[in-house]
């Protein structure tokens, strides 16, 4: 099935609100499990000073989960959409004890002002399929991560046929509101296949240290350390 890109930013208040209210527990649990299993320096984050960044943070559920698991770390949460950041701010405001460890930044990648090689950990969930030029994500990893920084990127993967898209919708979004079903359909069609992501990593010079894995019936993940 041919890739059909969707708009990059989710910047209408209706779209951001529907997304923030949706139940992404399964996929966000999976993301956190992968981080816990594969991040070799997770012990370091139990001490002060670990700097993480979440690219395309949306309503910041992953940011909060990360800070609950590693409360001494700091996390910069980046999104290009003001409407999403408003949702993120609401969630963080309700987490009194953690919110001073999170910094929300409105920025559209690529953005050199986010910093140069200063983060120990780069997280990104469900951003890649939004990008019209996927190399923007891989170049941003090199820009933002210090040498050896750990990277975890997870995203939907594009099914081979339209009938699979409908089957996934039926399985995972049958009871969701139409705005979310439409988002899910568009996202599956905009997503990349694992082999395409592998080619992107090769082109970015990251294929030696980052690996692509299929981690569910609809997700792929990329993890590993940036070159030293
Ligand atoms: C599907 S949401 C994922 C949100 C969140 N990471 C999660 O796991 O729920 C993708 C987010 O990426 C943001 N986004 C898309 N393209 C972007 C870009 N070039 N720079 C920054 N944010 C972007 C969108 O505005 C949206 O909030």
């Amino acid at each position: 099935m041919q890739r059909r890109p969707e708009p990059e930013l989710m910047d209408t208040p209706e779209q951001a609100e529907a997304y923030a209210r949706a139940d992404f527990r399964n996929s966000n649990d999976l993301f956190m499990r992968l981080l816990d299993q594969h991040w070799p320096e997770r012990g370091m984050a139990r001490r002060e000073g670990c700097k993480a960044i979440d690219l395309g943070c949306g309503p910041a559920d992953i940011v909060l989960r990360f800070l609950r698991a590693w409360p001494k770390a700091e996390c910069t949460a980046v999104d290009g959409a003001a409407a999403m950041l408003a949702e993120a701010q609401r969630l963080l405001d309700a987490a009194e004890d953690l919110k001073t460890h999170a910094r929300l930044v409105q920025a559209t990648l690529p953005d050199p002002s986010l910093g140069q090689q200063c983060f120990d950990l780069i997280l990104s969930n469900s951003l890649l399929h939004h990008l019209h030029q996927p190399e923007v994500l891989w170049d941003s990893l090199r820009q933002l991560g210090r040498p050896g920084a750990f990277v975890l990127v997870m995203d939907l993967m594009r099914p081979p046929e339209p009938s699979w898209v409908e089957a996934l919708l039926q399985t995972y979004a049958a009871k969701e509101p139409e705005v979310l079903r439409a988002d899910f359909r568009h996202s599956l069609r905009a997503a990349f296949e694992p082999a395409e992501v592998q080619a992107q990593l090769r082109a970015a010079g990251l294929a030696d240290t980052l690996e692509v894995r299929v981690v569910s019936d609809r997700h792929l993940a990329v993890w590993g350390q940036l070159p030293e």
Side-chain angles (χ1 to χ4, degrees), residues 9 11 77-83 85 103-108 111 113-114:
L9 300 184
D11 53 4
V78 177
D79 204 288
L85 289 177
R103 186 170 68 104
L104 295 181
V105 177
Q106 186 177 1
T108 299
D111 187 337
S113 75
L114 287 170

Side-chain angles (χ1 to χ4, degrees), residues 31-50:
F31 187 93
M32 294 308 295
R33 238 180 2 257
L34 291 172
L35 183 61
D36 196 43
Q37 283 166 3
H38 298 288
W39 184 21
E41 293 178 316
R42 59 192 172 285
M44 164 192 115
R46 305 246 173 259
R47 300 186 292 276
E48 310 274 334
C50 171

